[in-house]
Structure formats: structure tokens, C-alpha cells
Amino acid sequence: MTKTFPLPGNGQNLFQSLFRALFLIAATIGGFFIFAASAAFALFVVIGILILGFVAFAVLWLRAKILGKPLRPAGNMWSFQTFDSQSFGDTKTSTTGDESSKPKAPGPVLDAHKTPDGWSVDTD
């Protein structure tokens, strides 16, 4: 292609250039305002989630302080007193001779003994 020609009707006059520049400026300003509005909406959503989380935390914390117990029952919760050596020592090394005072363990009695290959358990 050695020769090029302008398309017919594509001539730019002063009025068209001015109108195009004004439209570009208006579109830029409008786009900025749409961006700012969407950013503000996202900010309000995040602030709303934070406030809702704080209210839920405050209600549950206040409930625990008033009732003195957690929301879930303490069925499988362990404490440091559970693993205290003194409490285990009282129940296992009780040598009073009274068999009724010893706690009864559910299930079969296991007899563990050390073998050359490791520990072995016989159930009787």
C-alpha cells in the first residue's frame, strides 16, 4: 500500500474536536465518581461486617460473664487439674485395702508386660 486516503466524512473540524474533548473529560469525571461510590460502598460493607462481628463478640462475652459458663457444654474439655500428679496418685496408689473405695474402670482388665519385641497386652 503506497497510497492512503482519508475516509469520507471523517474530517475533524473545531466543533467536533471540542465536543470530543468535553465528552472525554465528562466521562473521566463520571468514571471517577462511579469508582469512588463503589469504593465507599465496599468500605461501608467492611465496616458493617466489623460492627456485626464486634456486637456478636460482645453479646457472647457478656453472656459468658453473666452465666459463668461457655456457650458449649464442657463434655470433652480438659483442664490442668485433670493432669495433676497428685490427683492421679490418690486414685492409683490407694493402699487402704478397701476395694469398694477404688474407682471401677469400665471394660476388661488389661495385663501389659514387656517382651523382647516391645510391650504386649493380654486381655483376660
Side-chain angles (χ1 to χ4, degrees), residues 35-114:
F35 174 74
S38 64
F41 178 74
L43 182 66
F44 286 134
V45 167
V46 169
I47 289 173
I49 290 172
L50 287 175
I51 289 173
L52 185 65
F54 176 73
V55 167
F57 172 77
V59 166
L60 292 175
W61 179 79
L62 191 62
R63 181 188 181 277
K65 287 296 177 185
I66 291 172
L67 298 178
K69 60 183 178 179
L71 189 61
R72 294 184 338 179
N76 293 332
M77 296 180 72
W78 298 93
S79 64
F80 287 112
Q81 287 83 14
T82 306
F83 299 107
D84 189 17
S85 62
Q86 185 179 4
S87 66
F88 280 136
D90 290 343
T91 58
K92 288 187 177 180
T93 60
S94 175
T95 57
T96 59
D98 185 16
E99 291 294 324
S100 63
S101 66
K102 291 184 181 178
K104 302 288 184 190
V109 177
L110 301 177
D111 182 25
H113 54 277
K114 190 168 186 173

